[in-house]
Amino acid sequence: MTTGKTRDEIAEAYSSEPWWYDLRGFFILTFAYNSTIGTQMRFFGPNFGPEHLEVACGTGTLLEMVLNWRRRRKLPQVKVTGIDYAPSMLAGAKRRFANNPQVVVQHADAAQLPFADNSFDTANIANSIHCFPTIDGALRDILRVLKPGGTMAANVLLYPTGFAPLRWAAQKINDWGIRKGILYSPFHTEELRAKMLAAGYEIHSEFTSGNTWNVVVRKPV
Ligand SMILES: C[S@@+](CC[C@H](N)C(=O)[O-])C[C@H]1O[C@@H](n2cnc3c(N)ncnc32)[C@H](O)[C@@H]1O
């Protein structure tokens, strides 16, 4: 069940200090997503083409870790454009990447991207798609700005499963996140798969890990 928050209410819910957001994010990742930073590096790290769009980059903490992960593996340098709708998150990202010419961040709604059609080789939506009030709109607009054959990776928060105490803890965190406005809703895999196919993507690869569905989709050529 969702509370139907608007994009501005969601942005307001994200107006905490970047350090608190990062600390809170670690607990949410561990107990609600039942995932690890390492899993996220290995999933998002490979999906960077020469022109990359990082959708809902937040404070850029994860993006910076992924770029460092790529550097350690000597993967090609890429140009990254990060967008986020919450001004406080974006302020943290702007400070973080102020001296990094590889990354530009700007204010934008994932469902109304200020970019021309066919601009990006790749896009990642890390830990965010289930926070959007307009997932269908975001999926359609990301498809529009991807080049034909371009890929998008996203991890989707699923309704918790597994060992009862962990499931209960994840459920409590999700309920709190929905009340606060930092989570729109968890999903069932099939709901999100149907949305991606309806938006016009092809499924490239997918796996479930903890309480997340990790999917790479492609814009048809
Ligand atoms: C849980 S955070 C994840 C941030 C970052 N990707 C990470 O993994 O640390 C979700 C982000 O989605 C952003 N967001 C929510 N709705 C959005 C929208 N409609 N357009 C762009 N960003 C949005 C929030 O402002 C927040 O920064």
Side-chain angles (χ1 to χ4, degrees), residues 9 52 76-77 81 87 121 127 131 138 165 172 186 189 198 200 206 218 220:
E9 288 168 332
H52 175 82
Q77 272 248 344
T81 302
D121 301 285
N127 306 310
C131 305
K172 290 285 165 209
T189 302
E206 59 183 305
R218 182 165 35 208

Side-chain angles (χ1 to χ4, degrees), residues 49-53 78-81 119-123 147:
E51 291 281 346
H52 175 82
L53 176 65
V78 297
K79 186 168 164 253
V80 178
T81 302
S119 298
F120 296 97
D121 301 285
T122 50
K147 296 175 186 172

Side-chain angles (χ1 to χ4, degrees), residues 24-67:
R24 180 183 75 191
F26 177 75
F27 284 99
I28 294 175
L29 178 72
T30 307
F31 296 106
Y33 289 58
N34 191 8
S35 184
T36 63
I37 296 284
T39 304
Q40 301 218 340
M41 302 291 105
R42 288 189 293 277
F43 175 60
F44 289 110
N47 192 49
F48 279 77
E51 291 281 346
H52 175 82
L53 176 65
E54 187 74 18
V55 180
C57 61
T59 58
T61 311
L62 185 80
L63 175 59
E64 188 176 51
M65 291 170 89
V66 175
L67 292 175

